[in-house]
mmCIF file of all heavy atoms in Angstrom:
data_model
loop_
_atom_site.group_PDB
_atom_site.id
_atom_site.type_symbol
_atom_site.label_atom_id
_atom_site.label_comp_id
_atom_site.label_asym_id
_atom_site.label_seq_id
_atom_site.Cartn_x
_atom_site.Cartn_y
_atom_site.Cartn_z
ATOM 1 N N PRO A 6 -118.504 -213.688 -16.753
ATOM 2 C CA PRO A 6 -119.879 -214.193 -16.658
ATOM 3 C C PRO A 6 -120.335 -214.732 -18.001
ATOM 4 O O PRO A 6 -119.780 -214.377 -19.045
ATOM 5 C CB PRO A 6 -120.682 -212.946 -16.248
ATOM 6 C CG PRO A 6 -119.826 -211.791 -16.632
ATOM 7 C CD PRO A 6 -118.401 -212.274 -16.594
ATOM 8 N N PRO A 7 -121.344 -215.615 -18.006
ATOM 9 C CA PRO A 7 -121.850 -216.137 -19.291
ATOM 10 C C PRO A 7 -122.255 -214.991 -20.200
ATOM 11 O O PRO A 7 -122.750 -213.965 -19.750
ATOM 12 C CB PRO A 7 -123.059 -216.978 -18.891
ATOM 13 C CG PRO A 7 -122.906 -217.223 -17.433
ATOM 14 C CD PRO A 7 -122.073 -216.118 -16.870
ATOM 15 N N ARG A 8 -122.007 -215.165 -21.473
ATOM 16 C CA ARG A 8 -122.289 -214.115 -22.450
ATOM 17 C C ARG A 8 -123.796 -214.001 -22.668
ATOM 18 O O ARG A 8 -124.458 -214.970 -22.997
ATOM 19 C CB ARG A 8 -121.591 -214.417 -23.766
ATOM 20 C CG ARG A 8 -121.779 -213.313 -24.794
ATOM 21 C CD ARG A 8 -120.930 -213.585 -25.990
ATOM 22 N NE ARG A 8 -119.659 -212.926 -25.813
ATOM 23 C CZ ARG A 8 -119.213 -211.974 -26.632
ATOM 24 N NH1 ARG A 8 -119.895 -211.632 -27.673
ATOM 25 N NH2 ARG A 8 -118.065 -211.413 -26.418
ATOM 26 N N ASP A 9 -124.269 -212.812 -22.490
ATOM 27 C CA ASP A 9 -125.654 -212.496 -22.808
ATOM 28 C C ASP A 9 -125.650 -212.036 -24.256
ATOM 29 O O ASP A 9 -124.941 -211.091 -24.593
ATOM 30 C CB ASP A 9 -126.135 -211.383 -21.869
ATOM 31 C CG ASP A 9 -127.545 -210.904 -22.197
ATOM 32 O OD1 ASP A 9 -128.110 -211.318 -23.232
ATOM 33 O OD2 ASP A 9 -128.063 -210.101 -21.421
ATOM 34 N N PRO A 10 -126.390 -212.716 -25.155
ATOM 35 C CA PRO A 10 -126.341 -212.361 -26.575
ATOM 36 C C PRO A 10 -126.644 -210.893 -26.853
ATOM 37 O O PRO A 10 -126.218 -210.362 -27.852
ATOM 38 C CB PRO A 10 -127.384 -213.258 -27.233
ATOM 39 C CG PRO A 10 -127.766 -214.270 -26.219
ATOM 40 C CD PRO A 10 -127.325 -213.784 -24.878
ATOM 41 N N GLY A 11 -127.340 -210.222 -25.963
ATOM 42 C CA GLY A 11 -127.677 -208.833 -26.196
ATOM 43 C C GLY A 11 -126.652 -207.852 -25.661
ATOM 44 O O GLY A 11 -126.778 -206.651 -25.843
ATOM 45 N N HIS A 12 -125.609 -208.331 -24.985
ATOM 46 C CA HIS A 12 -124.637 -207.430 -24.373
ATOM 47 C C HIS A 12 -123.208 -207.886 -24.642
ATOM 48 O O HIS A 12 -122.931 -209.078 -24.685
ATOM 49 C CB HIS A 12 -124.851 -207.376 -22.855
ATOM 50 C CG HIS A 12 -126.164 -206.797 -22.480
ATOM 51 N ND1 HIS A 12 -127.303 -207.551 -22.386
ATOM 52 C CD2 HIS A 12 -126.518 -205.528 -22.195
ATOM 53 C CE1 HIS A 12 -128.310 -206.774 -22.036
ATOM 54 N NE2 HIS A 12 -127.876 -205.548 -21.909
ATOM 55 N N ARG A 13 -122.350 -206.917 -24.806
ATOM 56 C CA ARG A 13 -120.915 -207.208 -24.931
ATOM 57 C C ARG A 13 -120.302 -207.216 -23.550
ATOM 58 O O ARG A 13 -120.839 -206.640 -22.620
ATOM 59 C CB ARG A 13 -120.229 -206.097 -25.740
ATOM 60 C CG ARG A 13 -120.560 -206.132 -27.187
ATOM 61 C CD ARG A 13 -119.722 -205.145 -27.944
ATOM 62 N NE ARG A 13 -118.330 -205.280 -27.564
ATOM 63 C CZ ARG A 13 -117.401 -204.383 -27.839
ATOM 64 N NH1 ARG A 13 -117.704 -203.302 -28.493
ATOM 65 N NH2 ARG A 13 -116.160 -204.560 -27.466
ATOM 66 N N TYR A 14 -119.162 -207.855 -23.439
ATOM 67 C CA TYR A 14 -118.423 -207.750 -22.191
ATOM 68 C C TYR A 14 -118.012 -206.308 -22.009
ATOM 69 O O TYR A 14 -117.771 -205.592 -22.983
ATOM 70 C CB TYR A 14 -117.169 -208.630 -22.227
ATOM 71 C CG TYR A 14 -117.473 -210.106 -22.216
ATOM 72 C CD1 TYR A 14 -117.034 -210.924 -23.236
ATOM 73 C CD2 TYR A 14 -118.208 -210.673 -21.187
ATOM 74 C CE1 TYR A 14 -117.312 -212.275 -23.235
ATOM 75 C CE2 TYR A 14 -118.483 -212.030 -21.184
ATOM 76 C CZ TYR A 14 -118.030 -212.824 -22.203
ATOM 77 O OH TYR A 14 -118.308 -214.150 -22.189
ATOM 78 N N PRO A 15 -117.919 -205.872 -20.778
ATOM 79 C CA PRO A 15 -117.482 -204.487 -20.582
ATOM 80 C C PRO A 15 -116.058 -204.311 -21.093
ATOM 81 O O PRO A 15 -115.226 -205.210 -20.962
ATOM 82 C CB PRO A 15 -117.565 -204.291 -19.069
ATOM 83 C CG PRO A 15 -117.648 -205.652 -18.476
ATOM 84 C CD PRO A 15 -118.163 -206.575 -19.542
ATOM 85 N N SER A 16 -115.808 -203.189 -21.700
ATOM 86 C CA SER A 16 -114.462 -202.901 -22.191
ATOM 87 C C SER A 16 -113.531 -202.681 -21.013
ATOM 88 O O SER A 16 -113.926 -202.129 -19.988
ATOM 89 C CB SER A 16 -114.469 -201.651 -23.068
ATOM 90 O OG SER A 16 -115.225 -201.871 -24.217
ATOM 91 N N LEU A 17 -112.308 -203.127 -21.197
ATOM 92 C CA LEU A 17 -111.304 -202.886 -20.165
ATOM 93 C C LEU A 17 -110.823 -201.450 -20.268
ATOM 94 O O LEU A 17 -110.771 -200.880 -21.359
ATOM 95 C CB LEU A 17 -110.121 -203.830 -20.370
ATOM 96 C CG LEU A 17 -110.397 -205.311 -20.194
ATOM 97 C CD1 LEU A 17 -109.177 -206.130 -20.586
ATOM 98 C CD2 LEU A 17 -110.794 -205.611 -18.768
ATOM 99 N N PRO A 18 -110.420 -200.873 -19.161
ATOM 100 C CA PRO A 18 -109.856 -199.524 -19.240
ATOM 101 C C PRO A 18 -108.566 -199.543 -20.061
ATOM 102 O O PRO A 18 -107.836 -200.547 -20.080
ATOM 103 C CB PRO A 18 -109.556 -199.160 -17.789
ATOM 104 C CG PRO A 18 -110.096 -200.248 -16.939
ATOM 105 C CD PRO A 18 -110.489 -201.389 -17.824
ATOM 106 N N SER A 19 -108.299 -198.457 -20.754
ATOM 107 C CA SER A 19 -107.102 -198.407 -21.598
ATOM 108 C C SER A 19 -105.838 -198.622 -20.783
ATOM 109 O O SER A 19 -104.847 -199.141 -21.298
ATOM 110 C CB SER A 19 -107.033 -197.091 -22.365
ATOM 111 O OG SER A 19 -106.951 -196.000 -21.475
ATOM 112 N N SER A 20 -105.857 -198.290 -19.502
ATOM 113 C CA SER A 20 -104.666 -198.483 -18.672
ATOM 114 C C SER A 20 -104.318 -199.964 -18.535
ATOM 115 O O SER A 20 -103.145 -200.328 -18.437
ATOM 116 C CB SER A 20 -104.865 -197.861 -17.291
ATOM 117 O OG SER A 20 -105.972 -198.467 -16.635
#
Side-chain angles (χ1 to χ4, degrees):
R8 184 173 268 242
D9 175 352
H12 296 87
R13 288 188 48 195
Y14 291 122
S16 295
L17 295 173
S19 62
S20 60

